[in-house]
Amino acid sequence: MHPIPHRCARRPLAGGLVVPWVSLIHDGHAAFGSLDADRARTAFLHRLCQIRGQPLNERCFLIVRPADVAQGCSPEPALHPECLPYAAAHCPMLNGTATHYRHRPVLATHPAGRPCTDPSCPCPARTPDDGHTARSGSPADRYEAWMIHTRSYRLTGASGQADVPAGISLDVPILRRRVLRTAHLSADQERLMGLVRSLLDGHL
């Protein structure tokens, strides 16, 4: 088991794992894999680490899939460099232990997949992020981590919602790339990723 980063020593745990700051919490239980839309928005706008909820330093990592490259942005908040190895080691989508993102929408009934009968519960209104919806029920994808300098950190807006970030722009200088998990790519995805790498490496 990868050790808990020093930065995360005071984060709450669930099942022995650090609960990311942006994870949806319902009735005291962490719904791993589902983002709290309000916290995710705050993390985007204030340049916070999605794991620790603290300001990013000089460099940070973005989680990137081929679909994100096509959209031009990473739909998840960034991570501190020291938080990435922990996330890569323990997140099923990043370490290859999950073959599908999810088989059902997380909040169809309850963040943890259990019925919620409390009429005063706010969970129905706390819908998952758009990226989660797009990935739900889909085969697990290729994931890469792209390091950028925080001075290059730039948000892209969601269509028709100027105050809601769609994600962090990928049209910035990339300092380093690391493959987190491999997956079969279609011919179009291979071509797109190859083109992006060539552009980033200055070969075009």
Side-chain angles (χ1 to χ4, degrees):
M1 179 174 287
H2 197 283
I4 293 175
H6 177 70
R7 284 180 178 272
C8 301
R10 296 188 179 181
R11 291 291 309 150
L13 303 179
L17 299 177
V18 172
V19 177
W21 187 77
V22 297
S23 286
L24 183 66
I25 306 298
H26 182 278
D27 195 26
H29 299 283
F32 287 108
S34 186
L35 302 184
D36 180 311
D38 292 335
R39 286 201 168 192
R41 181 175 180 274
T42 297
F44 278 134
L45 295 177
H46 296 283
R47 301 186 178 190
L48 306 180
C49 173
Q50 67 163 281
I51 304 296
R52 188 169 178 244
Q54 295 296 319
L56 299 169
N57 298 124
E58 185 178 7
R59 293 178 176 83
C60 63
F61 272 106
L62 311 180
I63 304 299
V64 181
R65 302 166 302 140
D68 304 328
V69 174
Q71 294 294 322
C73 68
S74 173
E76 296 188 15
L79 300 92
H80 285 117
E82 54 267 51
C83 292
L84 176 69
Y86 183 82
H90 296 290
C91 174
M93 288 310 301
L94 299 183
N95 63 28
T97 57
T99 57
H100 281 71
Y101 183 72
R102 286 193 185 275
H103 298 288
R104 63 188 175 203
V106 175
L107 294 185
T109 53
H110 179 283
R114 299 185 301 272
C116 182
T117 58
D118 181 358
S120 65
C121 178
C123 70
R126 301 180 72 178
T127 55
D129 62 294
D130 290 339
H132 173 97
T133 302
R135 296 187 295 268
S136 183
S138 301
D141 217 334
R142 176 187 177 92
Y143 281 83
E144 296 184 355
W146 293 11
M147 177 184 278
I148 68 170
H149 199 289
T150 50
R151 65 169 172 258
S152 301
Y153 184 108
R154 182 166 54 85
L155 297 176
T156 60
S159 177
Q161 303 179 67
D163 62 335
V164 179
I168 304 169
S169 175
L170 299 177
D171 186 20
V172 298
I174 307 302
L175 305 178
R176 183 185 308 169
R177 293 189 300 278
R178 172 185 168 189
V179 176
L180 300 178
R181 71 168 291 170
T182 58
H184 175 72
L185 299 183
S186 68
D188 286 342
Q189 289 176 323
E190 288 280 11
R191 181 175 54 79
L192 177 61
M193 293 296 282
L195 179 61
V196 170
R197 291 191 188 97
S198 295
L199 287 170
L200 294 174
D201 293 337
H203 294 160
L204 292 180

